[in-house]
Structures are given as structure tokens and as C-alpha cells.
Amino acid sequence: ELNYDESNHSYTNVISMTDASTNESFANLEDAKKNGSEVKELIVVLEATHEGKTLNFTEYFGKNMENSSHTWVNPFEKPVLRHHDSRQDPIGRVKKAVFGESEKHPGVKTIFLTLSISDPDAIQKFLDGRYTTVSIGGKAKEIKCGICGTDLLNDKYCGHWLGGTYSYKAREDEEAKKVTCYWHIGDMEYNE
């Protein structure tokens, strides 16, 4: 478990497991199992999404991520799913979302999620390192073309393909530059 320190705006690593029936704490899963305790929940804190450009040609902005971070837990705690598969039972739930500065990428904003993982198979995979990355799912409330600013959800298609390369100049007296089309993602409703 990572604990968020409000004064430093950072997380500190704390690993402990508590047997609810005996209130005994353990540093790892093996020690808990040796004691005969059943681990029913693993708390995982991770950086779920970051501001900036992605490999799939979208760009996220800190102000929109901050505006949207409450949707992880409101109006309900969003599910943690395997492989974005909503037909399967969730392996856990999002318990808390905090917008702040990335520990992994200094100077970059992120949303830290506190997850309660209750699926025994998933608990083991988080602990042994098979689950080390996540992919978020959500619905954008606004998407704009990064080349021309067209509102792609409400206006007619602008002709710039996502990931396409175009000649662009900001002013007439400039030389044209090659730019890649990214979609600028506005506020979102995070789903999983």
C-alpha cells in the first residue's frame, strides 16, 4: 500500500497486511499464508493516467484530468476490470482518486488511484509482478483536433486523420513544419 502525504504531495510505500479476525499484521503474502490467514483485499496505489501525448495519438491535459478525477468514485466506485472486459466480474474497485505530480515522471501531472483488489488470482498477480501496468477506460466529453481545433464530437469532420502528418505553419511568414495530428481530450467520465 502507498500512503499519500498531503504536505509533500507524494506517496510513501508501506507494505502491510492485516488479518481481520486476529488484527495481526504481515509484511507479505507468504507470511500471512504461513500463519493461516486468508488475504481478502490488497490495496494498490498507482499512477493511472498522465498528462501529455500518448502512443495512440491522443493528448491529455492536467486541468481536464483534475476536473474529471472525481468521476472515478462518483456517482459510484468504478470497477477494476481485466482486459477492459465488462462481461466478467470486477477484480476490485477504485476507492480514491488524487490528482497530483507523478512520482515516475517528475514535472508531469497524473491521477493516483487507490484500488481495492479482492479477486484472489489478481491479488497474487499484483504481488508477483504479473500485473504491473493498467489501461484506463472512459468517455471524453470533448475531443478537439490538435491541428485545427475542430470540435470532433459536435462539428463536421475536419479532414485531419488521427496520427496523420501534415504541413503546418502558424503564421504566413513562417516556414511550414511537419506536424502529427493528435486528438486533444477534454473533460472525461472515467468508467474503468
Side-chain angles (χ1 to χ4, degrees), residues 16-148:
S16 70
M17 297 177 196
T18 304
D19 184 324
S21 61
T22 65
N23 214 23
E24 187 174 355
S25 293
F26 305 97
N28 57 54
L29 187 60
E30 289 74 29
D31 288 348
K33 286 181 178 178
K34 285 178 193 171
N35 189 56
S37 297
E38 182 182 354
V39 176
K40 295 186 186 249
E41 177 186 42
L42 177 69
I43 303 300
V44 177
V45 179
L46 50 79
E47 296 184 13
T49 185
H50 298 86
E51 70 179 342
K53 294 179 177 176
T54 70
L55 295 175
N56 61 358
F57 303 105
T58 54
E59 186 169 4
Y60 295 90
F61 299 92
K63 65 179 171 39
N64 301 106
M65 293 168 51
E66 184 174 22
N67 292 344
S68 305
S69 62
H70 72 279
T71 68
W72 282 109
V73 293
N74 289 309
F76 60 92
E77 297 170 338
K78 299 308 187 290
V80 179
L81 304 175
R82 279 189 180 99
H83 314 295
H84 298 286
D85 188 352
S86 62
R87 296 170 295 179
Q88 293 184 18
D89 286 339
I91 62 172
R93 290 279 171 180
V94 176
K95 295 296 188 180
K96 183 177 180 183
V98 176
F99 177 78
E101 185 159 331
S102 170
E103 294 286 318
K104 297 189 175 293
H105 309 285
V108 173
K109 298 298 184 185
T110 189
I111 297 176
F112 293 95
L113 295 182
T114 300
L115 311 177
S116 168
I117 305 300
S118 55
D119 178 84
D121 181 57
I123 289 172
Q124 184 58 47
K125 288 177 179 175
F126 271 103
L127 291 173
D128 69 22
R130 283 180 280 172
Y131 284 176
T132 58
T133 60
V134 297
S135 176
I136 61 145
K139 181 179 179 183
K141 296 177 181 179
E142 179 183 67
I143 302 173
K144 289 190 175 184
C145 174
I147 302 285
C148 67

